[in-house]
Amino acid sequence: GKPKGAMNAHRGICNRLLWMQKQYRIDVTDVVLQKTPFSFDVSVWEFFWPLLVGARLVLARPGGHRDPAYLVDVIATEQVTIMHFVPSMLGAFLAAPGLNRCQSLRHVMCSGEVLSFNLQEEFFSRIPAELHNLYGPTEAAVDVTYWTCRRDDERRLVPIGRPVANTQMYILGRHMRPVPIGVPGDLYIGGIQVGRGYHNRPELTDERFVS
């Protein structure tokens, strides 16, 4: 489709990166695999998080993000500790031969699609790493909520979690009032990471952004 032209501010991206470092704490011993095409927002933290703290940044070959066998090989060869998957690609990765070579992984981030309970359980049965479910639209500096998945969790769904630093989440009804617990509503995002609207699309900005 046609890009919406979401405009994010430098301070929003900085907040996102600084929160991520405070939450997950990587250092010079970590290796981050950058495999998301740079036209997608996830690539922002893949590029800049390791550079922020002096960790090692490994660039996947073009198209490598679609090749599970290649990903297994590069993780094992470069001893990758941090990486990201959309859930559908995580499922393909978990079915790849040689997955037992990926023992270096510490944190695996998921976002972009719903992370199912079954996929979470398959991950935990095959990889001894932490799995994190991140949620957020590009319009708010990549991600706005986070959840650390739990082994042996009795819930049959994976939550999107709680807000990242300097961010607020509101569940509002038709009249922009907070709804009671258990009542469906629309999810609104507030705080430093909310972007500036859409480039040269004032009508869409007025529709989606609330002053």
Side-chain angles (χ1 to χ4, degrees):
K2 183 179 179 180
K4 289 182 289 184
M7 297 188 294
N8 284 293
H10 182 267
R11 66 175 190 167
I13 293 296
C14 285
N15 183 79
R16 170 68 176 71
L17 292 169
L18 293 172
W19 163 80
M20 202 169 199
Q21 175 59 14
K22 184 177 181 180
Q23 182 66 28
Y24 303 117
R25 292 286 178 188
I26 64 172
D27 58 31
V28 295
T29 64
D30 280 295
V31 181
V32 177
L33 178 60
Q34 198 291 309
K35 66 179 185 63
T36 304
F38 66 80
S39 55
F40 287 87
D41 57 0
V42 167
S43 68
V44 173
W45 71 252
E46 286 180 337
F47 278 119
F48 292 107
W49 186 21
L51 299 180
L52 193 69
V53 298
R56 188 154 60 94
L57 175 63
V58 173
L59 302 179
R61 71 186 185 195
H65 63 290
R66 295 191 291 262
D67 185 343
Y70 165 75
L71 292 176
V72 168
D73 188 60
V74 75
I75 291 166
T77 302
E78 301 291 347
Q79 291 294 286
V80 172
T81 61
I82 314 288
M83 65 182 306
H84 172 272
F85 284 102
V86 293
S88 54
M89 189 59 204
L90 178 61
F93 173 74
L94 293 177
L99 197 64
N100 60 331
R101 298 171 60 205
C102 300
Q103 299 298 306
S104 60
L105 288 174
R106 289 201 309 119
H107 295 289
V108 172
M109 314 295 178
C110 266
S111 67
E113 301 167 354
V114 174
L115 176 60
S116 71
F117 175 82
N118 290 340
L119 185 57
Q120 170 191 270
E121 296 305 286
E122 183 181 358
F123 176 91
F124 283 142
S125 72
R126 306 205 64 188
I127 297 182
E130 289 194 13
L131 179 64
H132 307 278
N133 190 33
L134 306 179
Y135 164 80
T138 304
E139 290 85 343
V142 190
D143 298 304
V144 290
T145 70
Y146 68 103
W147 175 260
T148 299
C149 298
R150 301 173 182 175
R151 296 176 187 270
D152 303 317
D153 197 337
E154 295 181 356
R155 279 174 293 210
R156 303 295 299 183
L157 57 80
V158 181
I160 63 170
R162 295 186 174 278
V164 303
N166 302 306
T167 302
Q168 300 83 43
M169 307 297 290
Y170 304 96
I171 303 176
L172 306 179
R174 286 184 299 171
H175 303 293
M176 301 290 289
R177 301 285 181 85
V179 296
I181 292 174
V183 176
D186 290 320
L187 190 60
Y188 286 79
I189 304 164
I192 196 171
Q193 288 190 198
V194 175
R196 294 177 175 173
Y198 301 104
H199 182 61
N200 288 337
R201 303 190 70 181
E203 299 85 2
L204 188 60
T205 298
D206 289 344
E207 179 186 336
R208 297 294 182 183
F209 286 79
V210 180
S211 297

